[in-house]
Structures are given as structure tokens and as C-alpha cells.
């Protein structure tokens, strides 16, 4: 029996979709990350009950951190993206978290930079606050050991390929590390939006949106580029097609990054050599109007295929694929403290 709802939310469901595909479905993935990170900070004495935790978030990490703070008797202060919607704002308020939300912006890169700048300002005003640094502190990968163990328990020693959004690097990167403890050859396939600095697509603009949560306009210290075997970059229209098809075909209501990962996983599963597990980081509720209400616009996923490239300089929408071969970070993605 769980002692707090966060413990239940931290456990995903592994759903067999047939055809060599499986969906690792979270209600809210960052709960697993935040819960384990906060527990580690308390156990090591870095923070104590009653302290204030703070971080920047585009949405699901804010929820995860607020739940972890609630679970362990801590305060929570969020510097939130312009994309945080009303249902989440209300939940954060009722949970006791405080939220500073950035003003409306069509430029999510500017939004992200504003948030980081504001975090530094708040730290100068409140040096006793603990900055969680979800983008840079490796403790955010600790929660995925239990998830990797759950996957192995469900599928045994069957060879797997892992597919998912890169994001801060904590989720897919940590899952790959833990899965490779039993199978070092486990391929990791990362999904990125166009316009993200992380894997050098920052010179390409998506006409509609950078997919929040799986890309970044700033370098992340948590991303270990040498873990990734293959990269896919998907635009909004391709991810929308994946999200709609996943709901229509398999009744899974996942967010836009889930749609992108599903599209990529279908492609990678064609080889048939390994079962492909793709990460569904959250539900589709945030995307009802922007994605699912437009379901009639969705192209059939079987009509979509990636353009194979050898170098990020060849990137162009709507979808590209590249063998990354566990190479190091591109220069613009190297995180430097300061």
C-alpha cells in the first residue's frame, strides 16, 4: 500500500501495443524524478523539513516537485513557463506551492531564458531556498532505477530498444543507464523538436511550436549525449499525427511528446530485432485544443517517414533521423557553469 499519492503516480504502466511496440505510460513522469531527488536531499541532509525547494518548469516538473514537497513537508516555489495552464495553476495553489509565471510569449526560447534569469534573482533574494536544478543535477535520474527494474520484471531479459524525448536528459538517459546494467547493448533513441540546442537543431525553426519538455534553448548539464545511439527530430505536424493515431488506434491519450515518441518507435520497430519501448511522459489533457481538437488535420502515420541525414546541418522539417552513435555533445550544447 502506498503512503502518498505521489508514490502511485511515480509508477508507470507498461502496455503491449502489439507489433513489437510497448508504451511506458506515465500519468506524470517527472513525479518519479522529483520524488527520488527530494528523498535523496533529505537523506543526505542537504535540505530539511520546512525548507523551500525552487525550480523552473514548463509544467510537469512543477507538478512533480509540488507533490514531492507535499509528501515530505517542504515548501515549493515554481518559476513557471507561459505554457502552464489553469488546471495546473489551481492544483499548485491548493498543494501549497507558489508560482511565478512568465508573461505570455510566442518564443519559448525567450520564455526559458527568462525563467532561469528569474531563478537567479530569487536566489539572491532568498539564499536559503534550495534550487533543484532539474536541468543540471544528476540526482534527477535516481527515480528511474525503479522504473527500469519494473520494465525488466515485466518483459524479462528480452532485448529492448528505448525511445523517448531527450528533455532535461534525466529520464531517457537514466533509464538507458539502468537498462544497460543487464544489457549493455540496449539502444537509446532520442526524440527532439526542431529549434532545440541540445542536438544542434537550433538553426531550424518549426513553423508552429518547439515541443515543450523534450527540447531546449539552453544547454542542459543532465544530458549525456554519449548515451544516445539514434536521434529523431520531429515537427509539430508529425507529432500531432502520432498523438492522434495513438489515441485512435490504441486508446492512449498522451501528450505531444508522446505522439512524437510513438511515431519514432513505430519506425524503429520495423527491424523486428528488439521490442521497442517508448516513453509517454504525461496525459493529453494539456493538448486538447492545440492537438486533439485538430484530429481531422492529422496525416496517416503510414504516409510519414523520416529523412535520413548524416549531420545536423542537413536538418529540415517535418521529420529527420540520424545515427548519433553515442558521440559527444555539439559545441553549442555543452553546459558551462556560471
Amino acid at each position: 500500500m502506498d503512503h502518498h499519492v505521489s508514490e502511485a503516480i511515480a509508477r508507470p504502466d507498461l502496455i503491449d501495443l502489439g507489433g513489437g511496440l510497448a508504451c511506458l505510460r506515465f500519468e506524470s513522469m517527472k513525479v518519479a524524478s522529483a520524488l527520488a531527488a527530494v528523498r535523496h536531499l533529505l537523506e543526505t541532509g542537504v535540505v530539511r523539513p520546512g525548507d523551500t525547494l525552487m525550480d523552473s518548469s514548463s509544467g510537469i516538473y512543477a507538478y512533480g516537485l509540488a507533490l514531492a514537497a507535499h509528501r515530505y513537508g517542504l515548501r515549493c516555489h515554481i518559476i513557471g513557463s507561459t505554457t502552464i495552464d489553469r488546471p495546473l495553476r489551481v492544483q499548485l495553489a491548493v498543494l501549497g506551492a507558489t508560482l511565478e509565471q512568465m508573461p505570455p510569449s510566442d518564443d519559448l526560447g525567450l520564455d526559458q531564458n527568462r525563467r532561469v534569469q528569474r531563478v537567479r534573482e530569487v536566489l539572491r533574494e532568498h539564499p536559503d531556498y534550495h534550487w533543484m536544478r532539474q536541468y543540471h543535477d544528476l540526482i534527477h535520474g535516481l527515480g528511474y532505477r525503479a522504473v527500469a527494474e519494473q520494465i525488466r520484471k515485466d518483459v524479462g531479459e528480452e532485448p529492448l530498444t528505448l525511445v523517448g524525448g531527450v528533455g532535461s536528459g534525466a529520464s531517457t538517459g537514466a533509464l538507458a543507464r539502468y537498462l544497460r546494467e543487464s544489457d549493455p547493448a540496449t539502444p537509446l533513441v532520442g526524440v527532439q523538436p526542431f529549434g532545440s540546442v541540445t542536438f544542434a537543431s537550433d538553426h531550424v525553426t518549426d513553423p508552429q511550436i518547439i515541443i515543450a519538455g523534450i527540447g531546449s534553448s539552453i544547454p542542459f548539464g543532465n544530458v549525456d549525449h554519449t548515451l544516445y545511439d539514434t536521434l529523431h527530430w520531429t515537427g509539430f505536424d508529425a507529432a500531432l499525427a502520432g498523438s492522434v493515431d495513438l489515441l485512435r488506434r490504441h486508446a492512449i491519450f498522451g501528450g505531444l511528446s508522446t505522439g512524437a515518441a510513438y511515431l519514432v518507435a513505430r519506425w524503429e520497430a520495423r527491424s523486428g530485432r528488439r521490442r521497442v519501448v517508448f516513453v509517454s511522459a504525461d496525459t493529453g489533457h494539456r493538448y486538447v485544443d492545440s492537438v486533439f481538437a485538430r484530429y481531422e488535420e492529422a496525416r496517416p502515420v503510414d504516409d510519414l517517414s523520416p529523412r535520413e541525414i548524416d549531420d545536423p546541418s542537413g536538418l529540415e522539417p517535418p521529420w529527420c533521423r540520424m545515427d548519433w552513435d553515442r558521440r559527444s555533445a555539439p559545441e553549442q550544447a555543452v553546459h558551462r557553469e556560471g
Side-chain angles (χ1 to χ4, degrees), residues 153-172:
K153 180 181 178 181
D154 287 348
V155 303
E157 295 305 311
E158 179 182 353
L160 302 175
T161 293
L162 180 66
V163 174
V166 176
S168 67
S171 57
T172 49

Side-chain angles (χ1 to χ4, degrees), residues 241-253:
S243 296
V244 170
D245 189 84
L246 182 61
L247 180 57
R248 179 180 287 132
R249 194 185 302 252
H250 300 289
I252 294 177
F253 187 44

Side-chain angles (χ1 to χ4, degrees), residues 37-49 51 53 74 128-132 137 139:
V38 171
R39 184 166 56 243
H40 175 79
L41 292 172
L42 286 164
E43 290 173 349
T44 55
V46 175
V47 300
R48 297 179 180 181
D51 285 353
L53 308 175
L74 296 151
D128 56 316
Y129 284 12
H130 181 80
W131 181 15
M132 291 297 294
D137 196 326
I139 64 171

Side-chain angles (χ1 to χ4, degrees), residues 127-145:
D128 56 316
Y129 284 12
H130 181 80
W131 181 15
M132 291 297 294
R133 302 177 81 249
Q134 66 149 321
Y135 304 137
H136 310 304
D137 196 326
L138 293 176
I139 64 171
H140 288 92
L142 296 174
Y144 297 106
R145 176 176 287 280

Side-chain angles (χ1 to χ4, degrees), residues 22 75 121 190 207 224 250:
R75 297 184 176 90
E121 292 171 356
D224 182 350
H250 300 289

Side-chain angles (χ1 to χ4, degrees), residues 42-105:
L42 286 164
E43 290 173 349
T44 55
V46 175
V47 300
R48 297 179 180 181
D51 285 353
T52 298
L53 308 175
M54 178 182 65
D55 214 340
S56 162
S57 173
S58 62
I60 62 174
Y61 183 78
Y63 179 59
L65 189 60
L67 283 179
H70 188 277
R71 168 70 175 83
Y72 290 112
L74 296 151
R75 297 184 176 90
C76 179
H77 186 71
I78 299 295
I79 309 300
S81 169
T82 184
T83 59
I84 291 181
D85 58 16
R86 185 173 181 273
L88 180 54
R89 290 197 301 270
V90 171
Q91 287 186 78
L92 292 176
V94 175
L95 285 167
T98 54
L99 170 67
E100 290 186 52
Q101 189 167 12
M102 291 297 101
S105 172

